[in-house]
Amino acid sequence: MDKKIYLNSFFSASIAVFVPLFIWGNTLSHIPWIFQKLEMNNSTLGYLFMIFSLVQLFFSQLSGRLIIPNLGSRISLVIGLVVFSSTPIFFVFSNSISFFLFASVPAGIGFGIINTTATAVTSVAENKTNKILQTYYSAFFSLGILCGGLCSGLYRFLELNSYVLFFILIFFGLISSIFVFRLGLKKQYDEIETAKKFKLPENKLLIYSLYLFVFFATITAIVDWAPLWFEKELFTTSLIASLTIVCWFSGETISKFLGATLIEKFNERVIGCYLPLFGSIIYLIIVLIGNYYFILVGLFILGVATANFVPIIVRLALKSTTENVNTATANLITLGFLGFLLGPAMIGYTSEIYSIHFNVIAISFLWILIFSTFLIVVRRFTKLK
């Protein structure tokens, strides 16, 4: 019976991250349309990501230290989902850049609460069920954006009214919060301790956080900017541009759902180091060739190869620390997501001076470097166990 309770809590956490990312997948595919409507430049999108990250970081810490301990994980997830569900109003119904940028506030509040809470719930469910769940939890991130990208791509292909779509997304988010509440952990089952006063994590946790930081700082150029890159610089149609989201996240989703099996069959070093390194090398070669159909294939390959990098970091970090799970999760997410605060702004600025294409090439080289050095880190830390 206890295992069923904790598995249900895992499903509630998965729904809670799937829904906002489904909304975000639809939004990403509509970014070129929003850009044209508001006559924005690349740096505006960078500012959006930067403000989102700042708000999200604050509420990640607030949820770990105040919201979850006082309200419980179930109520926290519902609050986060309801707040995030309001974002389509600001994203799509905006008639000014300021109104568009304000969308980052409810998005950051909602996702900050959801991500910290759901990660902690998944960790508790792992401990109670003795199952590898972080990879499956992470898969719902990718599945949400994949389904959102497919939905938006089909919607734009059929030339239907985008305003109607985003009204539907608002109601979808609100209705989903009912299922999250019904499946979520009652407060007496939470077993999530109050996070302690913020301090720099232990050395191992800090190193893992730094890898998350670099990964999150650069992934926006690979994924979130891809539709704009294809439509503005590679001069593709809107449909092909939306396929960048589909290719990346279909690769990620498949790989993450297979993640637990792959880790058990091989090990975290192979899946978290060698595979991402191999995928990054292949993708760099494809980008240098420059054919956008090949790049779509490359995005799928890179999505497969790097999909389990973040869940493996989370698993290794939480296993290596002596801090309580809520403190460790809050600190890990806060330091890692600082990358989203700095990276998008830098990419927005440099893409105005150079191009998005330049950023993609530079970051492909950087990813080869970080996956190579992460291999050394994992070898060293696993020897210490």
Side-chain angles (χ1 to χ4, degrees):
M1 182 63 183
D2 281 350
K3 283 192 175 181
K4 184 178 180 181
I5 290 171
Y6 287 104
L7 283 175
N8 282 343
S9 73
F10 164 70
F11 292 134
S12 75
S14 300
I15 294 171
V17 298
F18 172 86
V19 173
L21 289 164
F22 177 78
I23 295 172
W24 182 237
N26 278 278
T27 305
L28 278 181
S29 293
H30 276 77
I31 286 293
W33 175 72
I34 298 171
F35 256 62
Q36 185 177 14
K37 184 177 72 164
L38 297 180
E39 298 180 350
M40 296 188 296
N41 54 34
N42 292 354
S43 59
T44 303
L45 188 59
Y47 292 139
L48 175 80
F49 292 139
M50 186 177 68
I51 298 169
F52 164 79
S53 300
L54 184 62
V55 176
Q56 189 265 343
L57 288 173
F58 177 77
F59 276 87
S60 289
Q61 286 291 322
L62 188 66
S63 62
R65 298 170 196 286
L66 184 63
I67 299 174
I68 305 172
N70 286 283
L71 299 180
S73 61
R74 179 169 68 164
I75 299 299
S76 299
L77 289 175
V78 170
I79 290 172
L81 190 51
V82 169
V83 172
F84 192 97
S85 297
S86 69
T87 58
I89 297 172
F90 305 99
F91 275 127
V92 177
F93 299 97
S94 57
N95 54 11
S96 69
I97 292 176
S98 298
F99 199 59
F100 171 76
L101 290 175
F102 185 77
S104 58
V105 176
I109 293 171
F111 198 71
I113 296 171
I114 289 169
N115 196 24
T116 296
T117 308
T119 303
V121 167
T122 302
S123 182
V124 171
E126 275 195 331
N127 293 333
K128 292 294 182 180
T129 61
N130 294 318
K131 295 179 182 291
I132 298 175
L133 297 176
Q134 286 291 352
T135 55
Y136 291 112
Y137 166 68
S138 185
F140 280 92
F141 277 72
S142 304
L143 184 63
I145 300 185
L146 169 62
C147 292
L150 285 170
C151 174
S152 181
L154 178 62
Y155 212 82
R156 295 186 72 191
F157 176 72
L158 296 175
E159 298 183 350
L160 300 175
N161 191 313
S162 294
Y163 295 100
V164 174
L165 170 65
F166 279 83
F167 261 124
I168 294 171
L169 290 176
I170 294 169
F171 287 107
F172 176 63
L174 295 175
I175 292 170
S176 298
S177 65
I178 299 172
F179 294 95
V180 170
F181 180 80
R182 291 181 63 86
L183 292 171
L185 276 179
K186 294 180 180 178
K187 198 171 180 182
Q188 64 263 34
Y189 294 108
D190 265 337
E191 297 191 17
I192 299 175
E193 303 173 47
T194 303
K196 300 173 184 176
K197 182 180 179 181
F198 181 78
K199 61 178 182 179
L200 282 179
E202 300 164 336
N203 287 339
K204 286 185 182 180
L205 197 66
L206 182 59
I207 291 173
Y208 287 127
S209 299
L210 290 174
Y211 276 94
L212 280 183
F213 172 85
V214 177
F215 187 78
F216 287 144
T218 53
I219 195 170
T220 53
I222 301 291
V223 186
D224 292 355
W225 291 79
L228 200 61
W229 172 36
F230 267 56
E231 202 161 328
K232 283 186 65 177
E233 296 184 7
L234 301 182
F235 306 108
T236 68
T237 63
S238 298
L239 177 62
I240 292 177
S242 68
L243 288 178
T244 58
I245 301 298
V246 174
C247 289
W248 169 271
F249 286 104
S250 59
E252 264 209 345
T253 303
I254 292 168
S255 187
K256 284 179 178 177
F257 275 115
L258 294 174
T261 303
L262 292 171
I263 291 171
E264 289 173 348
K265 185 174 180 60
F266 300 100
N267 56 50
E268 284 151 332
R269 187 185 304 172
V270 172
I271 304 305
C273 303
Y274 287 112
L275 188 59
L277 178 59
F278 175 75
S280 298
I281 293 170
I282 295 296
Y283 184 67
L284 175 60
I285 294 170
I286 289 174
V287 170
L288 290 174
I289 292 172
N291 182 284
Y292 56 77
Y293 289 113
F294 286 170
I295 294 173
L296 289 174
V297 176
L299 283 168
F300 176 82
I301 293 171
L302 191 62
V304 170
T306 62
N308 292 297
F309 181 67
V310 171
I312 283 174
I313 286 182
V314 173
R315 277 178 51 80
L316 291 176
L318 294 183
K319 285 194 297 184
S320 71
T321 184
T322 58
E323 297 176 352
N324 72 56
V325 65
N326 213 28
T327 303
T329 302
N331 289 342
L332 185 69
I333 289 175
T334 297
L335 292 173
F337 272 73
L338 277 172
F340 279 131
L341 177 61
L342 300 177
M346 293 176 60
I347 292 164
Y349 177 74
T350 55
S351 66
E352 289 287 340
I353 298 174
Y354 303 104
S355 64
I356 301 174
H357 190 77
F358 169 83
N359 277 278
V360 172
I361 294 174
I363 287 167
S364 298
F365 277 109
L366 180 60
W367 276 23
I368 292 172
L369 177 63
I370 66 170
F371 293 133
S372 301
T373 57
F374 188 63
L375 176 60
I376 299 170
V377 168
V378 172
R379 279 178 175 170
R380 181 183 175 191
F381 286 176
T382 51
K383 282 181 181 180
L384 292 174
K385 287 184 180 181

